[in-house]
Amino acid sequence: AQRVTQPEKLLSVFKGAPVELKCNYSYSGSPELFWYVQYSRQRLQLLLRHISRESIKGFTADLNKGETSFHLKKPFAQEEDSAMYYCALGDTGFQKLVFGTGTRLLVSP
Amino acid sequence: NAGVTQTPKFQVLKTGQSMTLQCAQDMNHEYMSWYRQDPGMGLRLIHYSVGAGITDQGEVPNGYNVSRSTTEDFPLRLLSAAPSQTSVYFCASSPGTGVDGYTFGSGTRLTVV
C-alpha cells in the first residue's frame, strides 16, 4: 500500500531562514514523488517532481530511496512562501496520487 | 485551454439531498480523480478513472458515485448527502505520465446542513 507521511502540521520560520519540509513515503514499487503547493483558498499547483530534478521558486527536493524521503528545502524563506505544502506519491502506472496530510508553512517578517 | 473546470464553486445541501459535482477538462487527459480536502487530513482520494468507461474506488468512496462516459467529463454524485460530506472537493486530471503530474481544478466547497 502507498503511504505518505508529513510529520509537521505547521512550520513557522522568519524571513531569510532556511526551510525544510519533511516527507517520508512507503511504497513497494518505484516511486514517483511530487510536491504541491496551495496558497490561501486556491487550487493545488504542482511545485516540484522528483523525476525532473528541478528548482522552482528556490525550492529543491531530493529523493532518498534509502531513507524513503523526499524533503522539500529552501535556503532562504520569503513571506510569499507562506502556504500549504503537500507531498504526493504516484503509484505504478501513475493511475492515482496519494497525498500526505500537508504542512502549513508560515514565514514571518 | 481552460484546464480543469469544476462547477459549482459553492453549494449548500440539506441532509438527504442528492447532487452532482461537475468536472471537465479540455487537455485530452486520460486519467481523472476526485479528492476531498478536510482540515488535518490532507487530500483523500474518492474515485478515479484511467479512461472513458473505467472507474475505480479510492480511499473514501462510500456515499459517492462516478461515471466516465467521455474523456472530458468526470462527474461526482452524492447520493444522499450527510453532514460528514461537508468538505472541499477537488477534481484533477493527468495525461498519465509522471513528468506532468496532475492538474487540479479550483474546487467545490460543499456544506451539508
Side-chain angles (χ1 to χ4, degrees):
Chain A
Q2 298 165 253
R3 178 171 288 182
V4 177
T5 302
Q6 293 181 252
E8 304 135 331
K9 289 187 187 299
L10 172 67
L11 186 61
S12 185
V13 302
F14 288 106
K15 178 182 172 181
V19 168
E20 182 179 50
L21 288 81
K22 291 184 168 50
C23 172
N24 288 89
Y25 67 91
S26 173
Y27 185 53
S28 57
S30 181
E32 304 227 24
L33 285 150
F34 304 84
W35 277 99
Y36 281 81
V37 60
Q38 186 181 31
Y39 300 102
S40 180
R41 289 185 172 243
Q42 294 186 23
R43 71 182 71 197
L44 276 79
Q45 303 172 34
L46 180 62
L47 180 64
L48 282 178
R49 43 207 158 190
H50 93 268
I51 197 169
S52 300
R53 300 185 65 80
E54 59 203 339
S55 174
I56 304 292
K57 299 183 180 181
F59 285 98
T60 59
D62 289 318
L63 176 60
N64 185 324
K65 290 187 178 181
E67 296 184 358
T68 59
S69 68
F70 189 56
H71 303 327
L72 183 68
K73 300 177 184 179
K74 184 169 184 177
F76 307 104
Q78 302 299 315
E79 290 180 66
E80 55 266 30
D81 296 329
S82 295
M84 196 75 177
Y85 291 81
Y86 289 98
C87 183
L89 170 65
D91 66 343
T92 301
F94 199 57
Q95 295 181 356
K96 60 183 185 291
L97 280 183
V98 171
F99 284 82
T101 51
T103 298
R104 181 169 299 282
L105 175 63
L106 181 61
V107 182
S108 303
Chain B
N1 277 357
V4 180
T5 303
Q6 290 185 240
T7 55
K9 292 193 183 304
F10 302 94
Q11 183 71 50
V12 179
L13 286 180
K14 293 183 179 179
T15 297
Q17 286 185 316
S18 63
M19 80 159 294
T20 299
L21 280 63
Q22 301 293 343
C23 175
Q25 53 92 8
D26 61 358
M27 299 172 284
N28 201 32
H29 285 175
E30 285 297 317
Y31 295 177
M32 296 186 75
S33 299
W34 275 104
Y35 293 87
R36 59 178 290 173
Q37 183 182 42
D38 301 290
M41 305 193 77
L43 280 87
R44 292 180 292 169
L45 183 64
I46 304 172
H47 286 285
Y48 66 102
S49 170
V50 297
I54 306 170
T55 64
D56 207 346
Q57 296 182 351
E59 181 185 355
V60 288
N62 291 342
Y64 307 95
N65 268 1
V66 292
S67 60
R68 184 100 179 268
S69 56
T70 67
T71 300
E72 295 78 19
D73 299 299
F74 191 41
L76 178 72
R77 281 182 287 278
L78 279 71
L79 309 173
S80 177
S84 60
Q85 294 179 304
T86 293
S87 187
V88 181
Y89 292 84
F90 287 99
C91 179
S93 73
S94 167
T97 67
V99 174
D100 298 306
Y102 273 77
T103 300
F104 279 78
S106 58
T108 295
R109 188 171 295 270
L110 176 68
T111 302
V112 182
V113 298

